[in-house]
Amino acid sequence: MTDVTPPHDARFGEQGGLLTYSDYLRLADLLAAQVPESDPASHDELLFITIHQVYELWFKLLLAELTDARDRMLAGETYLPRVRLERCHVVERVLIGQVDVIDTMTPQDFLAFRTKLAPASGFQSVQFREIEFLSGLKDPDFLRRFRRLPPGERERLERRLAEPSLWDGFLAVLSAAGFPVGTAAERFAAYQEIAADRERFGPLWDLAEALVGHDQSFSLWRARHVLMAERQIGTKPGTGGSAGGVYLRSRVETRFYPELWELRSRL
């Protein structure tokens, strides 16, 4: 009888010695990046730094997934863009849940190091603004407000402002399916036809719902974020000079895809 056992591959397992878990994940660099500014270090500053760095890692993944979804929609695809968006929904639920971690910090503990943050602020997160711009919420005024951006980060935001959004990708999919999308009236006629015949237009309806899910997740994150901020600092201004909770609350009702929300009222 022939022995079909595959030969041992020394590239796998510690005996291979080619790459370690720590090397692959760049753990030495990653774990050295949490550097408190307070002296002596305030106990909760490590929590604050860690949670925000983790957010930025998730933002990086979201940008990769959303960019791929946009590019595929621009090419007329519907299946993989929906798959990418559904992965984003799961990540976004993690973003919302992570607020519970920072909520374990008391206002007194935050005040112990908050002055060290100024003028830094989450308002300055370039990746978060990239997500908004890519999703369709483009606001050139943010570039004016970001006065301290390094050139590379400013260029990224300028590129996101100029390039097509997820919404542009969705309209490209509708156009490829034969729907005129040049005016609001034409688009709403297309949405209603799709909604009325999900058997025929199921992939288009599911893709629209995936976009709404992405939009809803960010609205929920904004709402959870403002409650966290108000619990920590009340009505104080933000460290970056914004109006703090007042500004955050003004953003809760922001929508990436207002037409898809208005459709609900027209069905």
Side-chain angles (χ1 to χ4, degrees):
M1 184 174 181
T2 304
D3 184 359
V4 294
T5 303
H8 179 69
D9 191 337
R11 292 177 298 174
F12 290 91
E14 291 188 9
Q15 69 277 5
L18 299 180
L19 185 67
T20 68
Y21 174 83
S22 179
D23 290 340
Y24 180 67
L25 296 179
R26 307 290 195 271
L27 287 184
D29 294 333
L30 182 64
L31 298 179
Q34 297 76 47
V35 183
E37 291 289 331
S38 55
D39 185 17
S42 174
H43 180 79
D44 279 11
E45 192 173 2
L46 177 60
L47 164 68
F48 187 87
I49 292 171
T50 300
I51 197 74
H52 285 83
Q53 288 181 343
V54 170
Y55 270 122
E56 291 295 332
L57 288 172
W58 285 127
F59 291 163
K60 182 176 182 177
L61 177 61
L62 285 173
L63 283 168
E65 300 293 339
L66 294 172
T67 299
D68 190 69
R70 186 273 316 273
D71 291 346
R72 290 179 180 278
M73 284 193 289
L74 288 172
E77 295 183 39
T78 58
Y79 174 73
L80 282 177
R82 178 180 59 78
V83 170
R84 302 291 185 260
L85 286 163
E86 288 176 350
R87 174 176 290 169
C88 290
H89 299 166
V90 178
V91 173
E92 288 155 1
R93 289 198 291 273
V94 173
L95 298 183
I96 297 166
Q98 282 183 179
V99 178
D100 291 339
V101 179
I102 203 166
D103 253 351
T104 64
M105 180 173 63
T106 68
Q108 298 94 318
D109 291 332
F110 186 30
L111 286 172
F113 65 89
R114 183 173 184 256
T115 56
K116 292 291 185 180
L117 304 179
S121 168
F123 180 82
Q124 298 166 336
S125 170
V126 169
Q127 289 197 117
F128 181 81
R129 298 305 170 192
E130 282 190 83
I131 291 170
E132 288 196 327
F133 291 177
L134 176 57
S135 297
L137 190 64
K138 296 188 177 184
D139 185 351
D141 283 345
F142 278 116
L143 287 174
R144 175 180 56 79
R145 298 170 197 166
F146 282 119
R147 294 187 297 272
R148 296 175 178 269
L149 281 181
E153 293 187 347
R154 180 170 294 277
E155 290 168 4
R156 277 164 47 197
L157 283 178
E158 290 172 345
R159 185 175 67 252
R160 292 293 185 185
L161 276 173
E163 70 185 19
S165 68
L166 284 159
W167 183 244
D168 295 318
F170 180 63
L171 295 184
V173 167
L174 294 184
S175 181
F179 292 101
V181 295
T183 67
E186 289 174 335
R187 292 193 296 275
F188 275 103
Y191 309 149
Q192 289 174 315
E193 183 176 349
I194 291 166
D197 192 351
R198 286 176 291 175
E199 184 70 27
R200 180 181 178 189
F201 299 116
L204 296 178
W205 173 259
D206 290 344
L207 184 56
E209 286 295 276
L211 288 170
V212 170
H214 169 54
D215 201 347
Q216 177 175 279
S217 292
F218 261 76
S219 185
L220 290 170
W221 185 85
R222 293 186 193 98
R224 187 68 184 86
H225 186 212
V226 70
L227 287 173
M228 177 271 291
E230 290 176 345
R231 179 171 176 172
Q232 295 295 334
I233 65 171
T235 58
K236 294 186 184 78
T239 51
S242 74
V246 174
Y247 166 76
L248 293 172
R249 191 166 289 282
S250 73
R251 302 286 292 176
V252 170
E253 298 301 321
T254 302
R255 296 289 184 268
F256 295 148
Y257 314 113
E259 290 186 3
L260 296 182
W261 291 95
E262 185 179 341
L263 171 64
R264 272 73 183 155
S265 301
R266 300 191 183 199
L267 292 178

